[in-house]
Amino acid sequence: MFDRVSALLYRRRAAVLWVSAVVVVLAGIGGLGVENRLVHGGFADPGAQSSRAERLVAEHFPSADDDLVLLVRGDGPVDSARMTSVGSELTRRAERTPGVRAATSYWTAGRAPSLRSRDGSIGLVTLSLRGDEDDRAKTAERLVPDVRRHADGLTVLAAGSAQVQSEVGKQTAHDLLLAEAIATPITLVLLLLIFGSAVAAALPLVIALLSILVSRAVLNALAGTVSISVYSMNSTTALGLGLAIDYSLFILARFREELRGGATVREALVPTVRRAGRTVAFSALTVALSLVALLVFPQFFLRSFAYGGIAVVLTAAAGAVFVLPALLAVLGHRVNRYDVFARWRGAAPPAAPENGRWYRFATAVMRRPALYGGAVIVLLLVLASPFTRVTSGLFDDRSLPADSQVHRATQLLRDRFDAGVLGTVPVVVKGAGPDLDSYARTLSTVQGVRHVTASTGAYAAGRRVQEPGPGSAALVDGDTALLSVVSSVEQDSSAGTRLVGRLRNVEPPDGTDGVWVGGRAAEVKDSTAAITRATPAAIGIVVGFSLVLLFLFTGSVLMPLKALVLNTLSLSATFGAMVFVFQEGHLSFLVGSPLHTGTLDATIPILTFCVAFGLSMDYEVFLLSRIRERYLLTGDNTESVAFGLQHTGRIITAAAVLVAVVLFVFAVSGVTLLKLLGVGLALAVILDATLVRAVLVPSFMRLAGRANWWAPGPLRRLHDRAGLREDTDDAA
């Protein structure tokens, strides 16, 4: 099939390029405005108890929601006549803003002490907003600047989940442009150094442009039917650039190798498409199926990466397999033109394979496979050890730079206000009846609870501490009641999630139709639990598809199992490094001083696993394709491994460096979530391309010997019928 494709691409090269140009133009048009259709949030499990509690509060007690908090500060105390007048007017103005459900402030709620800073210099305006996370973030984008314009000389800072999402969206868009501005020239210089030809170096960027534009158009089309996260644009750009470079490197390297061997352009295209093109197609299928695993999670943040990632992977592969060979058919030997670094490179003739650096390195490793392989395994296990201390959470205001407005505002709430401002846990009860008072008393005795406000009063340690009065946070709407549990612990912490667990363990009153514990800590707990529940299925999908595809590719039972074990080792080391740096704060200067809160975002390890596992299989397939091709000709396992590494080591290393540069550029991001994802994936790629491919694979294959290619009779016959076969299979 691939031989027929190569022949067709050569004959119809002009038509293929014209069609590709039309696709690029249409994709560019189809992707216009995609940024405006992407939405904020997507980290919560929509079916969780905390999400149900949020919907009930919005439906029955809209004034109790604190989606947006305005901190109003002037020159004098909040009780001064001027502050009272301006604060009351700002509250009324905010309440009239479209998208605002209710507004309460220190000046309109009976001067409640909880809405005033301890030093009396700052008053709060709390707003409940309509719609989902994206709607609330867009309302905040409109409302906050308008309020500041009418503040009459007062300082207004904004906090709350809606403002966090708003600022994250702006920062993400800024970081994407910055990353592209940094990565593109660095990538171009590296491509020039690797290829030694300006023409060859430009070709991967052409494929990258194609894949990114098509994936943007796909995201734009999907955004009309499903929620797509704003973060998907960053991942799409990084993956599109990285994979397009990867796949183009494989194709170009094989094509130029065939030309150096004396083949004509037409003759060079046949093995290029048959072997490198087939390897690219197989690798892309592996990566795409790894990303399919993200669809099992309920959070649309993770699902968005699957949508954008699958689109960009398949497009990059299609561009490398179909468009790039057509370009090479047109360029021919001109693909080697314009070596801008020729004067520094020298003109040494290429060495014979057995004299190459990678051949000699692989041979040295295989002389002492247990020693070298064992040392690398110990190193990876040491790097992985911090992952045993992982504590999961979700991003909050501290994921933004310390000088961001929402970060400063929220820190003021932590430092200058009563803990109840950030530590209130809503508990919604349906059908409690007269037992509600007793239930509130019981909740007030839970460890970590300061007091509980119910419709009958406030309770602390099982005793009534005050009668209900103006400004009470407890409400009743028909048979639905809201209890406000004020905790003594930070909600965005492991102590906060443990408190939620204790509250949920309290026996509800007899006759109730349901009790729902909500709030920020509950959202973190529920989202983490949803990820934990879905992770085995996701891992099963990734591992299952990878094992099947590698068996079809190699005909071996041992090779897929070896790939699984080695990939797990390198990914574990990556996770350990992420905990060490981003959760615990060590060596943070290496990645731009991330803001660490003692937790690791729960979505990142599984996202890293799916993407990095796919990329690892990418390099695995490329290396094994050359080893197997040689082994079928010679039957010499050791020589085949050295030969395969000699012919792929430089390319895999170059591809890994280029992909790592593209990903590591996100270390400049002001959003810790993007910084963590970019640095984590870059580290995973580097570890895999160096320690795993260069040391562990030769060590393992030397120790396994001919068993590398063994399969039981039934599976061998299955591979003969359904697996991939080289033209050397029959000769072997």
Side-chain angles (χ1 to χ4, degrees):
M1 181 185 72
F2 283 90
D3 288 347
R4 291 195 297 272
V5 169
S6 65
L8 179 64
L9 291 175
Y10 184 83
R11 290 197 311 271
R12 305 295 185 188
R13 53 191 179 275
V16 171
L17 295 181
W18 276 112
V19 170
S20 302
V22 172
V23 169
V24 167
V25 172
L26 293 177
I29 297 172
L32 291 176
V34 62
E35 297 87 353
N36 300 324
R37 306 188 69 188
L38 305 182
V39 298
H40 302 82
F43 297 90
D45 175 8
Q49 184 180 153
S50 55
S51 299
R52 170 70 168 159
E54 180 184 357
R55 291 192 293 269
L56 286 171
V57 170
E59 178 184 351
H60 294 280
F61 315 106
S63 61
D65 262 344
D66 295 338
D67 302 311
L68 184 63
V69 180
L70 304 179
L71 293 79
V72 184
R73 177 170 56 187
D75 297 331
V78 293
D79 292 307
S80 67
R82 180 168 179 269
M83 283 282 287
T84 300
S85 174
V86 177
S88 299
E89 177 56 31
L90 289 180
T91 305
R92 289 189 290 270
R93 183 174 190 85
E95 192 169 24
R96 293 193 298 266
T97 302
V100 174
R101 184 184 287 111
T104 304
S105 71
Y106 172 74
W107 302 279
T108 63
R111 299 184 185 273
S114 62
L115 298 177
R116 181 187 63 189
S117 62
R118 285 188 289 271
D119 62 4
S121 64
I122 305 174
L124 299 184
V125 180
T126 64
L127 298 103
S128 171
L129 307 181
R130 302 181 188 278
D132 56 20
E133 288 178 291
D134 189 58
D135 295 328
R136 296 194 292 267
K138 290 175 180 177
T139 298
E141 289 178 12
R142 298 191 309 270
L143 186 149
V144 174
D146 180 69
V147 168
R148 285 175 178 154
R149 283 194 299 270
H150 295 86
D152 195 20
L154 302 183
T155 300
V156 178
L157 295 175
S161 60
Q163 186 64 16
V164 171
Q165 296 289 0
S166 172
E167 292 198 20
V168 164
K170 295 175 184 176
Q171 186 70 47
T172 300
H174 169 269
D175 293 342
L176 178 59
L177 294 175
L178 180 61
E180 290 174 343
I182 296 174
T184 301
I186 294 176
T187 301
L188 186 56
V189 170
L190 289 174
L191 286 170
L192 287 170
L193 287 170
I194 292 166
F195 282 114
S197 160
V199 175
L203 295 179
L205 298 180
V206 173
I207 305 304
L209 178 65
L210 169 66
S211 62
I212 291 171
L213 288 178
V214 171
S215 61
R216 283 170 60 94
V218 170
L219 287 178
N220 205 9
L222 288 175
T225 56
V226 295
S227 297
I228 305 292
S229 170
V230 293
Y231 292 100
S232 62
M233 282 300 303
N234 301 70
S235 66
T236 297
T237 300
L239 271 180
L241 185 57
L243 288 175
I245 290 172
D246 255 9
Y247 298 154
S248 299
L249 270 173
F250 299 162
I251 298 291
L252 282 165
R254 188 61 185 251
F255 180 74
R256 298 173 85 190
E257 179 184 330
E258 297 295 332
L259 289 182
R260 285 195 299 270
T264 64
V265 172
R266 185 168 189 169
E267 292 169 345
L269 277 181
V270 174
T272 296
V273 176
R274 177 196 303 154
R275 295 202 172 96
R278 187 182 63 180
T279 300
V280 165
F282 219 75
S283 299
L285 183 60
T286 306
V287 177
L289 291 176
S290 295
L291 293 173
V292 166
L294 294 172
L295 296 176
V296 305
F297 294 92
Q299 294 93 336
F300 76 75
F301 167 77
L302 290 173
R303 298 169 71 90
S304 298
F305 279 85
Y307 301 140
I310 292 171
V312 81
V313 168
L314 296 181
T315 309
V321 173
F322 297 108
V323 180
L324 185 55
L327 284 169
L328 294 176
V330 171
L331 291 170
H333 288 273
R334 289 173 293 182
V335 74
N336 296 316
R337 283 188 175 181
Y338 308 119
D339 185 353
V340 296
F341 296 108
R343 66 175 65 182
W344 298 283
R345 192 187 307 281
E354 62 272 15
N355 295 324
R357 280 193 293 256
W358 284 103
Y359 192 100
R360 296 196 303 271
F361 181 82
T363 302
V365 168
M366 287 187 288
R367 286 197 200 103
R368 297 180 178 85
L371 175 63
Y372 286 106
V376 169
I377 288 173
V378 169
L379 174 61
L380 292 177
L381 290 175
V382 170
L383 289 175
S385 60
F387 193 59
T388 60
R389 304 188 295 271
V390 66
T391 301
S392 297
L394 291 179
F395 89 99
D396 59 11
D397 61 283
R398 290 167 292 189
S399 295
L400 287 160
D403 59 352
S404 72
Q405 293 195 20
V406 71
H407 188 120
R408 290 188 291 114
T410 311
Q411 197 58 47
L412 281 175
L413 291 177
R414 294 188 182 99
D415 296 339
R416 300 197 185 184
F417 285 80
D418 184 81
V421 173
L422 290 175
T424 299
V425 180
V427 179
V428 182
V429 185
K430 289 185 74 70
D435 291 333
L436 185 63
D437 179 70
S438 173
Y439 182 56
R441 287 178 185 271
T442 305
L443 290 178
S444 71
T445 64
V446 173
Q447 179 187 350
V449 174
R450 295 181 60 184
H451 65 266
V452 178
T453 306
S455 57
T456 54
Y459 300 87
R463 299 190 305 275
R464 185 192 294 262
V465 293
Q466 77 176 53
E467 297 293 333
S472 171
L475 297 169
V476 176
D477 182 26
D479 67 341
T480 305
L482 173 64
L483 307 181
S484 294
V485 178
V486 178
S487 69
S488 57
V489 298
E490 172 72 45
Q491 291 295 288
D492 281 296
S493 68
S494 56
T497 56
R498 288 195 297 270
L499 172 60
V500 169
R502 291 193 292 270
L503 292 173
R504 288 176 174 174
N505 287 334
V506 174
E507 191 70 24
D510 292 336
T512 57
D513 297 326
V515 173
W516 295 270
V517 178
R520 173 65 181 178
E523 179 185 335
V524 173
K525 183 179 180 65
D526 291 341
S527 294
T528 304
I531 290 172
T532 301
R533 287 193 304 270
T535 293
I539 292 176
I541 291 172
V542 172
V543 171
F545 278 131
S546 298
L547 291 177
V548 171
L549 289 174
L550 272 183
F551 168 74
L552 292 175
F553 191 77
T554 63
S556 163
V557 170
L558 196 59
M559 287 292 96
L561 294 176
K562 179 265 299 179
L564 174 61
V565 172
L566 299 189
N567 287 354
T568 301
L569 269 175
S570 65
L571 283 173
S572 298
T574 299
F575 294 153
M578 291 163 71
V579 170
F580 189 74
V581 175
F582 287 90
Q583 177 180 308
E584 299 177 348
H586 305 293
L587 303 177
S588 57
F589 66 91
L590 294 175
V591 290
S593 300
L595 302 166
H596 60 94
T597 60
T599 63
L600 198 69
D601 193 284
T603 60
I604 296 303
I606 189 63
L607 183 57
T608 302
F609 170 80
C610 291
V611 176
F613 198 95
L615 291 174
S616 297
M617 298 305 271
D618 203 24
Y619 302 137
E620 178 81 7
V621 167
F622 188 56
L623 174 58
L624 286 181
S625 68
R626 295 310 297 264
I627 293 176
R628 181 173 182 269
E629 181 183 334
R630 185 69 173 180
Y631 180 76
L632 290 172
L633 287 172
T634 66
D636 187 332
N637 179 73
T638 302
E639 194 275 340
S640 298
V641 173
F643 180 90
L645 200 61
Q646 170 62 29
H647 281 264
T648 62
R650 177 178 176 272
I651 301 168
I652 290 176
T653 303
V657 168
L658 287 164
V659 172
V661 166
V662 172
L663 293 168
F664 196 79
V665 163
F666 284 104
V668 304
S669 173
V671 181
T672 303
L673 190 72
L674 285 177
K675 190 189 296 284
L676 172 60
L677 181 61
V679 172
L681 286 174
L683 180 59
V685 167
I686 291 298
L687 287 176
D688 186 81
T690 54
L691 297 181
V692 174
R693 300 300 144 219
V695 180
L696 288 183
V697 168
S699 298
F700 182 93
M701 295 189 72
R702 176 66 179 86
L703 291 172
R706 295 183 66 86
N708 284 310
W709 311 104
W710 175 84
L715 289 180
R716 189 167 57 250
R717 288 189 291 273
L718 174 64
H719 181 265
D720 289 342
R721 289 195 302 269
L724 293 180
R725 296 174 59 83
E726 297 280 1
D727 55 358
T728 50
D729 281 353
D730 294 329

